[in-house]
Amino acid sequence: MTGRGAEFAALTGPREDEDTVDMGPTPWDGVLEVIRRGEYEVALKRCREIIAEQPWHRNAYVAGAMLSAFLERYVDTEEFAILGSRCFPKDGLLQHYFAVSDLHQNRPEKAKKGLLQAMELDATLLAPRVLL
């Protein structure tokens, strides 16, 4: 393919009558930044906000479950895992966090079944093996 630079620029650049799209940070980028700063409560709140706006945002469910487990808020861990599992029923990581919440809420038999199911859904996960 050959052509002159001006022709290529006309094809790829925005036309004068078009609005340019702002490619600023997304809400998910904001969650990652807040996690990097160690503001876990804020990140948890933002995960909830993302899920309210985008119910199919898998990473928000996983991050919410992970953060709430880290903060020892196991009822919240269970909530994120249950809601996420409804959208992603074959997600082993969400099943893992559901089992973590069961384990910390004194439901060891249910936790064991959940961990086995998490490994069945995703054989690459190491965390369920460690907990078993």
Side-chain angles (χ1 to χ4, degrees):
M1 207 163 140
T2 61
R4 291 179 283 187
E7 293 170 348
F8 181 74
L11 292 173
T12 60
R15 295 186 345 205
E16 290 179 20
D17 60 339
E18 290 181 359
D19 292 331
T20 58
V21 177
D22 180 19
M23 297 299 287
T26 66
W28 178 246
D29 295 329
V31 169
L32 296 177
E33 181 58 33
V34 173
I35 290 172
R36 280 187 205 103
R37 291 193 312 246
E39 298 175 22
Y40 304 129
E41 292 284 348
V42 174
L44 190 61
K45 181 180 181 243
R46 290 194 181 169
C47 284
R48 287 187 190 284
E49 291 169 355
I50 289 174
I51 290 167
E53 292 179 16
Q54 303 173 37
W56 293 95
H57 199 293
R58 177 193 174 269
N59 290 341
Y61 291 109
V62 171
M66 176 193 65
L67 288 165
S68 58
F70 177 78
L71 295 169
E72 297 180 355
R73 294 173 50 176
Y74 299 111
V75 172
D76 291 336
T77 305
E78 183 175 30
E79 179 185 353
F80 278 103
I82 287 172
L83 293 174
S85 294
R86 293 201 177 162
C87 293
F88 306 98
K90 298 196 184 281
D91 191 299
L93 193 53
L94 287 169
Q95 183 60 44
H96 162 74
Y97 282 114
F98 191 32
V100 167
S101 74
D102 284 333
L103 185 64
H104 288 282
Q105 293 182 72
N106 202 26
R107 299 185 292 240
E109 289 305 313
K110 189 174 178 189
K112 182 179 178 181
K113 288 179 186 176
L115 292 169
L116 291 170
Q117 184 179 4
M119 291 183 341
E120 185 179 312
L121 290 170
D122 187 346
T124 66
L125 292 175
L126 297 178
R129 294 179 197 286
V130 171
L131 283 178
L132 278 173

